């Protein structure tokens, strides 16, 4: 499962790309999958550079951000699998709880 396809985050839903998979499971097959992953990464980068809008590319974001009251969970595709983050906030500048959920 690839999170970028199953539950797209950021702007991955705007890109066309394939998820490389192998059949044999041997060293050569894993090598071919890695090479295809690099090709697909380049494919994503090429599409991203075409879609960069003209003008200012950096927004003015304050150094400290006050999170809203509540709980939040987000996950991304990490090199070793699904990486999640859980945050609990009471609305102050300091978080109540933060937990990183590493890939299993």
């Amino acid at each position: 499962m690839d999170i970028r396809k199953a539950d797209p985050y950021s702007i991955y839903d705007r890109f066309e790309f394939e998820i490389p998979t192998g059949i044999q499971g041997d060293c050569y097959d894993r090598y071919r999958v890695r090479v295809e992953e690099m090709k697909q990464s380049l494919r994503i980068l090429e599409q991203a550079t075409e879609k960069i809008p003209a003008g200012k590319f950096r927004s003015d974001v304050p150094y400290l951000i006050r999170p809203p009251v509540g709980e939040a969970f987000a996950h991304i595709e990490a090199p070793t699998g699904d990486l999640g983050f859980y945050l609990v906030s009471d609305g102050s500048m300091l978080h109540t709880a933060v937990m990183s959920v590493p890939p299993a």
Side-chain angles (χ1 to χ4, degrees):
M1 177 178 91
D2 192 306
I3 294 173
R4 298 172 302 171
K5 288 278 192 179
D7 184 17
Y9 59 93
S10 190
I11 58 172
Y12 278 108
D13 57 342
R14 301 181 200 167
F15 301 129
E16 296 289 329
F17 62 96
E18 303 299 322
I19 306 301
T21 56
I23 298 171
Q24 304 301 320
D26 59 358
C27 289
Y28 182 65
D29 201 28
R30 290 192 298 271
Y31 162 77
R32 292 186 57 178
V33 168
R34 297 299 176 265
V35 170
E36 187 59 31
E37 285 175 342
M38 288 186 274
K39 290 178 182 179
Q40 293 300 318
S41 293
L42 286 172
R43 185 176 173 196
I44 292 170
L45 286 170
E46 288 169 349
Q47 293 173 64
T49 54
E50 291 171 0
K51 295 181 181 184
I52 295 174
K56 190 175 179 181
F57 64 92
R58 183 177 166 187
S59 62
D60 297 321
V61 177
Y63 182 69
L64 295 175
I65 299 174
R66 184 182 308 271
V69 176
E71 301 178 12
F73 179 79
H75 59 127
I76 61 169
E77 183 79 20
T80 56
D82 186 12
L83 175 61
F85 294 94
Y86 178 71
L87 172 76
V88 178
S89 172
D90 60 5
S92 68
M93 292 298 267
L94 298 175
H95 55 273
T96 305
V98 171
M99 183 171 50
S100 172
V101 184

